[in-house]
Amino acid sequence: MFKLSTLLRHSPSDPMSLKSLVSAAATDFKLLRGITTQTTFGKPTSRIFAPYSIYKGKAALSADPLLPMFTKLESGDYRVERRGSIMLTFWPAMAERKYDWEKRQKFALSAIEVGSLISLGSKDSCEFFHDPSMQSSNAGQVRKSLSIKAHADGSGYFISLTVANSILKTNDRFVVPVTTAEFAVMRTAFSFALPHIMGWDRLTNQPPQYAATKSSPAPTAIPDLQSSEWDR
């Protein structure tokens, strides 16, 4: 924006200044549009990898925001088809500073679950349960439990994931101790991501050329970013 603000001080009667001003404004607008997320109106942007990862002795944990998917209505408006989440991925250690990515397990935090996590006090705990077949005859075949328990001395938390699969007859458990500083990073990052995974950022930050238009293409999301916690 420095070039633009500098040129604004030049005389508008100078044709060269006007030409430079237009050029600078176009450049700055492109820079602004580059500061975006993966879900865009029109073509998806390039994929960006920016997980927050914590590596400990017995397991590792990473957190990634997954943005919502939108659908276009007959009226020309858009609504959220599937809300986003913050995907937690756990994988076990196989040796010192070596981890087995093939044995990873995922847990997708909903907006409500994110709210529970970021509101935890230094001595609070919470637990979430997921079942892909809940309220069906297959309920209980695969169950996931995410637990966040505060250390007794208030120095951090234990974040653990248990995955019980009666079909494969497996029971995986991951425990990652998280320090107060690491949890503060998670709390701040999750608070920032919350309106984005709800799709609310689209209400307040729509590009002008797409706001209130019925002919614009439907917003899309990069398909492989919308992976389910039940997929490897």
Side-chain angles (χ1 to χ4, degrees):
M1 292 300 177
F2 175 76
K3 293 185 293 181
L4 182 56
S5 59
T6 302
L7 287 167
L8 283 173
R9 295 195 293 268
H10 289 189
S11 170
S13 61
D14 183 354
M16 290 304 295
S17 295
L18 181 59
K19 182 177 180 181
S20 300
L21 175 62
V22 173
S23 176
T27 300
D28 287 332
F29 181 69
K30 288 179 180 179
L31 289 173
L32 281 174
R33 291 192 63 188
I35 306 173
T36 185
T37 53
Q38 292 105 332
T39 303
T40 60
F41 287 80
K43 295 182 179 180
T45 61
S46 298
R47 184 170 181 179
I48 298 174
F49 295 92
Y52 175 61
S53 302
I54 300 173
Y55 298 91
K56 295 300 169 76
K58 294 184 178 181
L61 161 67
S62 73
D64 266 306
L66 296 185
L67 301 178
M69 298 184 69
F70 297 82
T71 186
K72 188 174 183 179
L73 306 176
E74 292 182 1
S75 63
D77 298 322
Y78 302 99
R79 67 173 174 82
V80 174
E81 177 70 19
R82 186 173 71 183
R83 294 200 181 278
S85 63
I86 292 182
M87 185 69 77
L88 301 181
T89 303
F90 296 77
W91 60 104
M94 53 191 300
E96 185 177 358
R97 297 183 180 182
K98 291 184 179 180
Y99 300 84
D100 191 346
W101 180 250
E102 295 301 320
K103 294 183 179 180
R104 66 189 180 277
Q105 292 284 356
K106 299 178 180 181
F107 195 95
L109 292 173
S110 67
I112 293 294
E113 292 167 339
V114 171
S116 297
L117 185 149
I118 63 180
S119 62
L120 286 176
S122 60
K123 296 183 179 180
D124 293 335
S125 300
C126 65
E127 191 167 12
F128 311 118
F129 298 92
H130 286 188
D131 184 336
S133 302
M134 188 176 294
Q135 297 180 346
S136 75
S137 59
N138 295 323
Q141 290 184 345
V142 181
R143 291 173 295 143
K144 293 187 178 184
S145 171
L146 179 73
S147 173
I148 305 173
K149 295 184 178 181
H151 294 171
D153 59 1
S155 62
Y157 299 84
F158 286 110
I159 301 180
S160 61
L161 174 67
T162 300
V163 182
N165 191 320
S166 61
I167 302 174
L168 300 177
K169 301 186 183 305
T170 59
N171 195 332
D172 298 322
R173 180 173 170 80
F174 310 84
V175 180
V176 179
V178 176
T179 65
T180 301
E182 291 167 336
F183 195 79
V185 173
M186 293 177 66
R187 188 199 308 275
T188 303
F190 288 12
S191 298
F192 173 81
L194 185 55
H196 294 268
I197 66 174
M198 295 172 63
W200 282 23
D201 60 314
R202 289 298 168 196
L203 298 175
T204 58
N205 192 32
Q206 294 186 64
Q209 66 269 33
Y210 292 113
T213 62
K214 295 185 178 180
S215 59
S216 56
T220 57
I222 299 176
D224 58 0
L225 286 182
Q226 302 298 327
S227 58
S228 165
E229 70 173 84
W230 306 103
D231 298 332
R232 290 286 187 175

